[in-house]
Amino acid sequence: MIYADNAATTKMSRIAIDAMLPYMEEIWGNPSSLYEAGQKAAEALCSAREHIAACIGADPREIYFTSGGSEADNQAILSAARFGQRSGKKHIISTAFEHHAVLHTLKKLEKEGYETELLDVHENGMIYPEQVAEAIREDTCLVTIMYANNEIGSVMPIPEIGAICRQRKVPFHTDAVQAVGHLPVNVQEQNIDLLSLSAHKFHGPKGIGVLYARQGIPLVNLIEGGAQERGRRAGTENVPAIMSMAAALEEACAHMDQNTEKLLRLRDKLIDGLSRIPHSALNGDKEKRLPGNVNFCFEGIEGESLLLLLDDKGICASSGSACTSGSLDPSHVLLATGRPHEVAHGSLRLSLCADNTEEDVEEILQAVPEVVGYLREMSPLWKDKVSGKREFVLS
Ligand SMILES: *Cc1c(COP(=O)(O)O)cnc(C)c1O
């Protein structure tokens, strides 16, 4: 099997698995318990918090463990909204191509009378700092813009956007789930007030993540109960998962340069090869792009059929289409970049990790043109285009 869907989730690394085991087999006490078995778990948590903080340039007191990226996004946005409301600020700036954990939280706030302004995404999948500067108003209580897009891989100018927010005294949150462990992220240098990360996107376990909140940024609780996470997130900590997340993050950061070098080589080979397919187009920016992300639109095909046929060939990939929700709606991300519905339906995302090989890339480059050709042959729409009855959208 060739796994090329690392933006959806990653395989746990050996180091991440090994880091969990002692906290299931030996040190399984409750970190809130006062006897030694509990205190050992509490010490472990403390060290994990320090390690994770160091990896993103934060203070350990600014790290809140959550159940993952979605929870961190929800808590960051709801916190800034509630805090803004106290001083009459109910305007939130975001973008049209955020993850649904952000977009659906904003929808909920709209129903409560907040005004959300979604910045236009450029054709290359970018948001520029000037757009943020122009959109900020007196009553803006939050800017939330993702670090790197999970579908098309474009990487935003986060330090510049953060600098504008800081100058205008507006809290800045970034969903950095696709970035942490893959790009150098530093909350201090990059002017970030709130940040979400998730372990299963960097070879750690699922169901665990972090909300970073700069000191002085108030948080509301999504879950009431005990006093864990300085009273901001109740519930006994998932110590094995947290220890594993810390180990996975340290490993990812230690090997980042080396992994990036390899990924860029594989990614660009895929991009070059797939560009040769006629009437195809790369989605997202060519330069400002996650090292493992490849995303193409192929005219005249359905993303779902492409995925099923690739699956038959042992290749796990994903489409921009929201197949998970069972709907045939094209990806909101591709639509946000201005791709027409028809073309947005025929997308393919390949997201690589450092375990992928040159042979994987060669096999993919063999399979995709074959499958695209096969699907086009069966498509009446494609036939109309070839015969000149309809126009091609992509050159
Ligand atoms: C995966 C992902 C999330 C959700 O993280 P979970 O830990 O699965 O809840 C949020 N944002 C982005 C950009 C993601 O890629």
Side-chain angles (χ1 to χ4, degrees):
M1 179 185 87
I2 295 176
Y3 186 75
D5 200 15
N6 288 277
T9 196
T10 57
K11 181 183 170 185
M12 281 183 73
S13 69
R14 190 70 249 164
I15 286 178
I17 295 170
D18 288 344
M20 295 185 105
L21 299 177
Y23 299 93
M24 298 194 278
E25 291 172 338
E26 296 148 39
I27 308 166
W28 41 263
N30 187 323
S32 300
S33 301
L34 292 179
Y35 41 77
E36 198 189 334
Q39 283 313 295
K40 277 197 169 160
E43 280 164 27
L45 269 187
C46 192
S47 79
R49 204 182 296 281
E50 282 168 9
H51 286 140
I52 290 167
C55 288
I56 61 166
D59 185 280
R61 286 167 295 181
E62 299 171 320
I63 301 295
Y64 298 85
F65 296 123
T66 66
S67 66
S70 300
E71 185 186 327
D73 283 344
N74 275 257
Q75 192 170 14
I77 293 168
L78 292 173
S79 296
R82 298 285 175 258
F83 191 68
Q85 187 175 27
R86 282 194 227 156
S87 41
K89 298 182 177 181
K90 294 181 86 172
H91 176 243
I92 300 174
I93 297 167
S94 188
T95 77
F97 75 162
E98 297 296 313
H99 191 272
H100 284 128
V102 169
L103 290 178
H104 290 175
T105 305
L106 295 177
K107 272 270 168 288
K108 178 157 105 176
L109 287 169
E110 270 175 23
K111 287 196 193 112
E112 295 174 23
Y114 286 82
E115 183 186 341
T116 62
E117 183 171 343
L118 302 184
L119 301 176
D120 288 333
V121 180
H122 285 246
E123 222 170 283
N124 59 352
M126 296 295 289
I127 297 285
Y128 293 105
E130 307 81 72
Q131 292 174 271
V132 179
E134 275 169 31
I136 291 179
R137 308 191 315 210
E138 278 299 306
D139 63 341
T140 305
C141 62
L142 172 69
V143 171
T144 172
I145 295 178
M146 70 200 318
Y147 204 116
N149 186 272
N150 47 308
E151 287 188 27
I152 58 178
S154 48
V155 179
M156 302 310 117
I158 291 299
E160 291 80 6
I161 292 173
I164 290 167
C165 294
R166 192 143 301 175
Q167 192 200 349
R168 305 282 289 272
K169 299 195 164 51
V170 178
F172 174 47
H173 167 250
T174 186
D175 174 340
V177 172
Q178 291 290 332
V180 171
H182 306 277
L183 298 172
V185 172
N186 186 303
V187 290
Q188 267 185 51
E189 291 168 7
Q190 298 172 351
N191 311 309
I192 299 164
D193 297 317
L194 293 151
L195 173 144
S196 311
L197 67 86
S198 175
H200 75 102
K201 304 293 174 76
F202 50 78
H203 304 281
K206 294 163 187 51
I208 191 76
V210 161
L211 171 60
Y212 152 80
R214 192 167 58 79
Q215 286 194 63
I217 298 273
L219 293 182
V220 295
N221 301 4
L222 301 188
I223 299 175
E224 301 291 348
Q228 292 91 352
E229 300 307 291
R230 290 170 300 288
R232 289 292 162 265
R233 207 286 187 178
T236 304
E237 301 87 343
N238 187 345
V239 182
I242 291 169
M243 300 314 290
S244 180
M245 167 165 66
L249 185 56
E250 285 203 306
E251 187 187 18
C253 292
H255 297 119
M256 194 181 292
D257 290 348
Q258 177 189 337
N259 290 346
T260 300
E261 200 186 304
K262 177 178 184 191
L263 284 171
L264 288 179
R265 202 170 61 239
L266 299 180
R267 180 195 78 182
D268 291 341
K269 191 166 170 177
L270 272 176
I271 291 179
D272 283 347
L274 296 178
S275 305
R276 298 212 181 93
I277 298 178
H279 306 286
S280 68
L282 179 71
N283 294 310
D285 195 76
K286 192 135 199 268
E287 308 296 327
K288 300 214 166 7
R289 180 174 203 98
L290 286 170
N293 176 287
V294 176
N295 190 317
F296 270 86
C297 279
F298 302 111
E299 194 164 352
I301 64 157
E302 285 276 351
E304 281 79 11
S305 331
L306 177 61
L307 294 187
L308 291 175
L309 291 173
L310 287 177
D311 186 26
D312 283 345
K313 293 176 179 287
I315 298 171
C316 307
S318 132
S319 165
S321 349
C323 41
T324 43
S325 63
S327 79
L328 286 174
D329 292 343
S331 142
H332 70 286
V333 172
L334 294 177
L335 293 180
T337 67
R339 292 275 185 229
H341 273 248
E342 183 206 324
V343 171
H345 266 300
S347 73
L348 172 69
R349 177 185 72 186
L350 298 159
S351 44
L352 307 174
C353 76
D355 296 336
N356 287 112
T357 61
E358 297 275 350
E359 291 76 51
D360 290 351
V361 167
E362 270 151 35
E363 251 184 76
I364 294 171
L365 285 177
Q366 188 82 41
V368 175
E370 222 175 273
V371 172
V372 168
Y374 172 76
L375 288 171
R376 281 175 172 174
E377 259 171 51
M378 299 195 306
S379 152
L381 184 66
W382 180 255
K383 280 187 192 126
D384 282 355
K385 293 189 179 202
V386 174
S387 68
K389 265 195 225 156
R390 277 167 168 265
E391 294 213 353
F392 284 109
V393 181
L394 303 174
S395 59

